[in-house]
Amino acid sequence: MAARQPGEDVVVDGGRGELVLFWAGFPLAGAGLAAGLTALSGWIAGLAWFPFQGLFELLARWPDERSYPIGIGVGLLAGLLLAVVAFRERLTVTVGHRSVRLHRDGHGRDLARADVAGVFVDGTALVLLDTAGGELAREKSDLDAGRLRAAFTRQGWPWIEQDPHRDAYRRWVEGLPGLPPGADALLRARQRALDGGHDGEARELHGELARLGVVVRDEGKRQYWRLVAGPPPG
């Protein structure tokens, strides 16, 4: 492979191995799990608490030459659906000298180098800070922190090893004073989104809070917040 020339964009993603895992590993795992469940369908059909009882009762009554193809087909389809979801949530980061593109679920977002005061990884999230201390982006992914650091530093971006505002965060408790008007309601709605596993809605509400000058970070399903030191961007 030819060496990259100075200034050439650096792409950080999960690579071919991740794609193989999605489109081959997930369907095969689903098919294998379904084959095992089909073999146990008679026993599972007797467990009242187990979901999809109707399906397992049918599989238990059918002969093997019919039950196994159908059971494995259902597992294969479930694996493919999981692969589609995982592929849509896949983050690709393209780092140039003057801008970075964050691409997920068919949508790309470009951020200018001039607007960024710091870049770091917080747990599993890539974070870009603006000059006022607010967050321009917080994108969760499985991307390797070392590869991200190398890509950004190669292009001259201000990489920092940890969040310089980490000590300013406070645990969100409904009704706690100190938040600007409207922020408590947004945090309440975002908590419901987190509890329900609605990541897209949680990201959207994260952006709404940023417009109020509130920065949010998560630890599990717990929300922590701080106020932007300067005026909110825009």
Side-chain angles (χ1 to χ4, degrees):
M1 181 182 295
R4 296 187 183 95
Q5 297 301 315
E8 183 180 348
D9 290 356
V10 181
V11 179
V12 183
D13 58 20
R16 292 180 180 176
E18 186 178 69
L19 295 176
V20 171
L21 174 65
F22 291 168
W23 299 115
F26 287 178
L28 288 175
L33 178 61
L37 291 175
T38 301
L40 298 173
S41 58
W43 175 69
I44 293 173
L47 302 176
W49 55 267
F50 205 91
F52 307 112
Q53 282 292 301
L55 174 61
F56 286 107
E57 288 171 0
L58 285 174
L59 292 175
R61 288 201 301 265
W62 287 337
D64 288 351
E65 59 270 19
R66 185 179 183 188
S67 62
Y68 275 93
I70 292 177
I72 291 172
V74 170
L76 187 66
L77 179 60
L80 285 171
L81 291 175
L82 181 59
V84 170
V85 172
F87 182 77
R88 291 183 61 180
E89 288 297 310
R90 184 176 189 248
L91 177 68
T92 300
V93 181
T94 304
V95 188
H97 184 64
R98 294 185 176 85
S99 66
V100 60
R101 166 160 282 230
L102 308 175
H103 188 272
R104 188 197 300 273
D105 195 13
H107 302 285
R109 180 184 179 194
D110 295 303
L111 299 172
R113 165 67 182 84
D115 297 330
V116 176
V119 187
F120 63 97
V121 170
D122 182 20
T124 60
L126 173 66
V127 183
L128 286 81
L129 297 176
D130 64 25
T131 54
E135 289 184 354
L136 293 168
R138 175 179 283 269
E139 294 286 347
K140 290 185 178 180
S141 76
D142 295 324
L143 296 177
D144 180 72
R147 292 181 61 205
L148 289 169
R149 182 192 301 110
F152 280 99
T153 55
R154 177 184 176 87
Q155 299 288 19
W157 289 66
W159 183 270
I160 51 183
E161 292 304 320
Q162 61 180 0
D163 187 350
H165 305 285
R166 190 175 184 87
D167 293 339
Y169 284 92
R170 301 168 62 187
R171 171 79 182 272
W172 175 71
V173 178
E174 188 172 352
L176 193 72
L179 286 164
D184 201 56
L186 290 172
L187 283 163
R188 189 163 56 248
R190 190 171 184 273
Q191 187 65 58
R192 289 195 298 269
L194 289 174
D195 292 339
H198 306 303
D199 294 340
E201 184 179 355
R203 283 197 295 268
E204 182 180 346
L205 290 167
H206 186 282
E208 293 294 328
L209 286 158
R211 281 188 273 276
L212 295 179
V214 179
V215 179
V216 185
R217 61 184 298 272
D218 303 324
E219 291 186 9
K221 293 186 178 182
R222 298 188 299 272
Q223 299 184 96
Y224 292 80
W225 64 272
R226 65 174 175 84
L227 298 179
V228 176

